[in-house]
Every structure is written in structure tokens, then in C-alpha cells.
């Protein structure tokens, strides 16, 4: 079943009274990332449910993080751009 971009939702749910977060997703990219974590860390990440279009996972809520935006200077952007140009040139050779 093909879902629209809008329908490919991900919902993270947790509360102050429990130590576990639950993630419900219909986004294939998020599923692949969480499936890898389930395979690599089965004691921490669990697949708790699935159907044809969605999966539900659980893991410690302390693994949910909020980060401030990364500040990148113009010099850093230019350095990264030059590195990518050089890397792409070596790929073509």
C-alpha cells in the first residue's frame, strides 16, 4: 500500500510516570533505522507491534533527545563544500 508523504507519520509518546517511550511510525525510513537498532540492541529497543503499513517500537525515554540547532560558520560550510567537490571528483576517476 502506497502512503502519501502526509500519511507517513511518526508519533513519539511517553509520560513522566514511566521510563519507556513508544514510537508508532508509518515512515519506512524511520522503520529501517529502528529495525537496525532492534537488531543491534535487542535488550534496549523492542518491536512491540506491526501491521501492513506501520510498526510500533519501545525503548527507554532517556534515548529521546532534544538538541539545539547546530551553528555552522561560513568557513565551515565552504570547507565542507570543497571536500565534497574533491570527493566527487575522485569518484568520477
Amino acid at each position: 500500500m502506497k502512503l502519501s508523504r502526509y500519511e507517513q507519520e511518526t508519533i513519539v509518546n511517553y509520560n513522566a510516570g514511566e521510563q519507556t517511550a513508544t514510537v508508532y511510525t508509518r515512515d519506512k525510513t524511520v522503520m529501517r533505522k529502528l529495525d537496525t537498532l532492534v537488531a543491534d540492541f535487542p535488550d534496549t529497543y523492542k518491536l512491540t507491534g506491526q501491521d501492513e503499513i506501520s510498526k510500533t517500537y519501545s525503548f527507554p525515554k532517556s534515548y529521546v533527545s532534544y538538541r539545539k540547532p547546530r551553528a555552522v560558520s561560513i568557513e565551515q560550510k565552504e570547507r565542507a563544500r570543497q571536500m565534497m567537490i574533491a570527493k566527487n571528483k575522485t569518484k568520477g576517476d
Side-chain angles (χ1 to χ4, degrees):
M1 175 180 210
K2 181 83 170 153
L3 298 174
S4 70
R5 301 281 294 159
Y6 181 80
E7 293 172 315
Q8 295 175 31
E9 65 184 2
T10 298
I11 300 168
V12 180
N13 187 13
Y14 61 91
N15 61 56
E18 297 177 347
Q19 297 303 311
T20 304
T22 301
V23 174
Y24 168 86
T25 187
R26 290 178 159 186
D27 185 334
K28 298 257 186 230
T29 303
V30 175
M31 285 183 208
R32 279 192 298 275
K33 289 178 183 180
L34 287 170
D35 285 342
T36 300
L37 290 169
V38 167
D40 293 347
F41 305 100
D43 293 338
T44 305
Y45 290 88
K46 308 253 187 266
L47 175 64
T48 59
Q50 70 180 56
D51 58 31
E52 307 83 41
I53 59 172
S54 67
K55 290 186 179 181
T56 304
Y57 303 87
S58 67
F59 52 88
K61 74 177 180 184
S62 62
Y63 286 36
V64 176
S65 71
Y66 304 93
R67 294 178 261 170
K68 62 183 178 181
R70 187 173 150 210
V72 180
S73 70
I74 294 171
E75 294 81 19
Q76 289 173 314
K77 287 180 185 178
E78 181 59 27
R79 208 169 336 131
R81 189 175 82 76
Q82 292 300 328
M83 285 180 7
M84 288 307 296
I85 289 170
K87 187 172 191 143
N88 287 333
K89 282 183 182 177
T90 60
K91 271 186 176 178
D93 295 338

